[in-house]
Amino acid sequence: MDKTKRKVTIVGTGNVACHLFKVLSSVKSREEWETVIVNSRTLEGLPELSDLILISVKDDAIPEVALRLIGKGKTVAHTSGSVSIDVLKGIAKEYGVFYPLQTFSKKRELNYKEIPFFIEGNDEQAFKTLRELASEISAEVFEADSQIRKKLHIAAVFACNFSNHLVSIADDLLHEEELDYKVLLPLLKETIGKLDSLPPREAQTGPAVRDDESVMTIHKEMLRERPELQTIYQLLSDSIRNLK
Amino acid sequence: MDKTKRKVTIVGTGNVACHLFKVLSSVKSREEWETVIVNSRTLEGLPELSDLILISVKDDAIPEVALRLIGKGKTVAHTSGSVSIDVLKGIAKEYGVFYPLQTFSKKRELNYKEIPFFIEGNDEQAFKTLRELASEISAEVFEADSQIRKKLHIAAVFACNFSNHLVSIADDLLHEEELDYKVLLPLLKETIGKLDSLPPREAQTGPAVRDDESVMTIHKEMLRERPELQTIYQLLSDSIRNLK
């Protein structure tokens, strides 16, 4: 049987779109899938009919871009963590969500095999198509409805967005001594590295978890001219003690 | 000239003590330094006179252990981030602090070369001795008085202890969907990995930094039965917006 390649079209030119294009153009999936990428504004180069269209644009732009793709894909999916699958109703018979839980930046090399992909389909066929493609990229492919994706998103806000902000705060404090956050990087990497083998609750260290009142008093005194940081310090220390 | 090895004695059997013993027994410094480790309670095997004694015990125990080491070391130092150098006054003519900014766990391999060491000496000779030893282990050796060490410690609490706790919170939230924090690990590693090349303020992503009110409202609604988490969410989101 002469095997025809399936056609995947990525719509978008942001970091997620570019990373997906790069990995799909390089993995062995090339034998089965042929990948093109088009600008969401011009749609220049859009194939007459794709087997799968992945819409990878800003959340707010998804409905408008989707409307211009009616009839252009057998399956159409978006790549957003926080947008419902229903936004694609009526765009294609098969539709769904293809959500990689990762932060994508230009110039960063990633180990795609480890990135968890969360897949949702409006029916079994859509789900199967999306899972097949995700499995070409990653070893970690899960089914996840919109409820689960919402939970993943808020968890990522706590674990990643807020943690990054805490490093900004540390950076500010260190600048007062002409140091910066870079001295903390080996410690930060090891803090995360430990979590491969130890759950965060067991990995918790620091004055709050060992109820070291004298150190916490010194720290709050050091922050007396930064009431906002003092409040964050108190609240997170209390929260650590409540979790014990 | 016949070169005699200098003798380093590590007092303590905790994670920091064991890691220091391991690295000092393995690096090329063996040609210049001879390392022994003794239990802080029994002091069994303590040499009559060491060139350098490193006291690596719990903060509270340092004064008591130090008192039993009077006259036993040409230079005596402790390895704590938050204890003043003055606690060692009178223990030896030369004394100081030898502080590695890292979290040490059993069974974890570390790249010692990258670990920043912060050194303080009561005089030039103590500082020189401690800096020489630190330089055998690491490429990142800095002078730091007690003021700077205190700042490093509070910065590490924000960046590492509190971040670990935020991963515990994320873990809790994910358990409601029968997932756990491990799905976040590639994202967490990349969040920290990015900081090699991008300062945290520029690396900040998420709903707060892009003023995405609709997502933040959904998230706070999701946390309505967890008022403590709702407060943390609000406070850190406000703090991200204030830093913009």
Side-chain angles (χ1 to χ4, degrees):
Chain A
M1 195 179 88
D2 185 30
K3 202 169 161 194
T4 322
K5 287 188 190 181
R6 288 192 275 178
K7 204 182 285 287
V8 192
T9 300
I10 296 164
V11 177
T13 49
N15 288 335
V16 179
C18 291
H19 272 271
L20 286 176
F21 179 64
K22 189 180 146 204
V23 66
L24 287 171
S25 309
S26 69
V27 294
K28 70 168 188 350
S29 67
R30 276 179 310 179
E31 290 161 28
E32 285 198 44
W33 301 81
E34 186 190 331
T35 313
V36 297
I37 184 165
V38 303
N39 185 301
S40 65
R41 210 165 32 78
T42 64
L43 296 182
E44 207 172 314
L46 184 77
E48 199 47 48
L49 181 65
S50 303
D51 293 283
L52 172 58
I53 296 179
L54 296 178
I55 303 175
S56 185
V57 299
K58 284 200 165 79
D59 286 6
D60 295 346
I62 295 172
E64 179 268 324
V65 171
L67 275 176
R68 288 154 54 218
L69 295 168
I70 294 176
K72 293 295 185 182
K74 292 184 193 165
T75 304
V76 175
H78 69 68
T79 63
S80 163
S82 40
V83 174
S84 162
I85 186 176
D86 299 330
V87 75
L88 297 176
K89 211 169 189 165
I91 305 300
K93 191 166 145 283
E94 261 95 42
Y95 56 94
V97 182
F98 187 85
Y99 173 51
L101 184 61
Q102 183 52 286
T103 175
F104 296 93
S105 323
K106 289 209 178 8
K107 294 193 216 164
R108 295 277 309 168
E109 293 294 320
L110 293 169
N111 181 359
Y112 295 100
K113 272 281 163 227
E114 285 185 353
I115 298 175
F117 275 75
F118 293 89
I119 303 297
E120 182 175 8
N122 74 306
D123 62 18
E124 195 50 45
Q125 182 55 44
F127 176 71
K128 192 167 159 278
T129 303
L130 292 166
R131 189 187 52 194
E132 274 174 23
L133 187 68
S135 302
E136 296 284 354
I137 302 174
S138 170
E140 307 287 333
V141 181
F142 304 93
E143 182 165 13
D145 61 19
S146 296
Q147 158 93 357
I148 293 179
R149 260 186 300 119
K150 262 167 64 180
K151 207 52 93 55
L152 286 164
H153 191 214
I154 193 171
V157 168
F158 275 97
C160 299
N161 298 158
F162 288 169
S163 291
N164 182 81
H165 179 60
L166 293 172
V167 183
S168 291
I169 291 173
D171 189 42
D172 262 15
L173 293 168
L174 291 172
H175 270 284
E176 296 168 9
E177 307 295 335
E178 287 167 27
L179 287 165
D180 74 19
Y181 76 97
K182 287 211 168 171
V183 298
L184 295 170
L185 284 179
L187 176 56
L188 264 166
K189 284 178 187 171
E190 176 63 8
T191 300
I192 303 307
K194 268 166 131 170
L195 299 176
D196 282 337
S197 50
L198 207 60
R201 218 177 266 234
E202 290 172 39
Q204 188 67 53
T205 56
V209 77
R210 61 172 193 266
D211 271 326
D212 191 334
E213 287 290 353
S214 65
V215 168
M216 287 190 280
T217 304
I218 292 169
H219 284 171
K220 280 179 277 178
E221 172 61 18
M222 287 169 73
L223 298 170
R224 69 183 178 285
E225 282 165 25
R226 309 283 300 267
E228 182 197 313
L229 299 189
Q230 220 175 29
T231 309
I232 291 173
Y233 189 96
Q234 183 71 55
L235 192 66
L236 289 175
S237 295
D238 289 346
S239 179
I240 287 171
R241 285 190 285 193
N242 291 340
L243 208 68
K244 263 170 62 178
Chain B
M1 195 179 90
D2 184 32
K3 202 170 159 195
T4 323
K5 286 189 191 181
R6 287 193 276 179
K7 206 183 282 289
V8 192
T9 300
I10 296 165
V11 177
T13 48
N15 289 334
V16 179
C18 291
H19 272 270
L20 286 176
F21 179 64
K22 189 181 147 204
V23 66
L24 287 171
S25 310
S26 70
V27 294
K28 70 168 187 352
S29 67
R30 276 179 310 178
E31 291 161 28
E32 284 199 43
W33 302 82
E34 186 191 328
T35 314
V36 297
I37 183 165
V38 302
N39 184 300
S40 65
R41 210 164 32 77
T42 63
L43 296 184
E44 206 171 317
L46 185 75
E48 199 46 49
L49 181 65
S50 302
D51 293 283
L52 173 58
I53 296 179
L54 296 177
I55 304 174
S56 186
V57 300
K58 283 201 166 75
D59 287 6
D60 295 347
I62 295 173
E64 180 267 324
V65 171
L67 275 177
R68 288 155 54 219
L69 295 168
I70 294 176
K72 294 295 186 183
K74 292 183 193 165
T75 304
V76 176
H78 70 66
T79 62
S80 163
S82 39
V83 174
S84 162
I85 186 175
D86 298 331
V87 76
L88 297 177
K89 211 169 189 164
I91 305 300
K93 193 167 144 284
E94 262 95 41
Y95 55 94
V97 182
F98 187 85
Y99 173 51
L101 184 62
Q102 183 52 285
T103 175
F104 295 93
S105 324
K106 291 211 175 5
K107 293 193 217 165
R108 295 278 308 170
E109 292 295 321
L110 293 169
N111 181 359
Y112 295 100
K113 272 280 164 230
E114 285 185 354
I115 299 176
F117 276 75
F118 293 91
I119 303 297
E120 182 175 10
N122 74 307
D123 62 18
E124 196 49 45
Q125 181 56 45
F127 176 71
K128 194 167 156 277
T129 303
L130 292 166
R131 189 187 52 195
E132 274 173 24
L133 187 67
S135 302
E136 297 284 354
I137 302 174
S138 169
E140 307 287 335
V141 180
F142 304 93
E143 183 166 13
D145 61 18
S146 296
Q147 158 93 357
I148 292 178
R149 261 186 299 119
K150 261 167 64 180
K151 208 51 95 52
L152 285 164
H153 190 213
I154 194 172
V157 168
F158 275 97
C160 299
N161 299 158
F162 288 169
S163 291
N164 182 82
H165 179 61
L166 293 173
V167 183
S168 291
I169 291 173
D171 189 42
D172 261 14
L173 293 168
L174 290 172
H175 271 285
E176 297 168 8
E177 306 297 335
E178 288 167 29
L179 288 164
D180 75 19
Y181 75 97
K182 288 211 167 171
V183 299
L184 295 170
L185 284 179
L187 176 56
L188 264 166
K189 285 179 187 172
E190 176 63 7
T191 300
I192 303 305
K194 268 166 130 169
L195 299 176
D196 282 336
S197 50
L198 207 61
R201 218 177 264 234
E202 290 172 41
Q204 188 66 55
T205 56
V209 77
R210 61 172 193 266
D211 271 325
D212 191 334
E213 288 289 353
S214 66
V215 167
M216 288 189 280
T217 304
I218 292 169
H219 284 171
K220 280 179 279 179
E221 172 62 17
M222 286 169 75
L223 298 171
R224 69 183 176 285
E225 282 164 24
R226 309 282 300 267
E228 181 197 313
L229 299 189
Q230 219 175 30
T231 309
I232 292 172
Y233 189 96
Q234 184 70 54
L235 192 65
L236 290 174
S237 295
D238 289 347
S239 178
I240 289 171
R241 285 190 284 192
N242 291 341
L243 208 69
K244 264 169 63 177

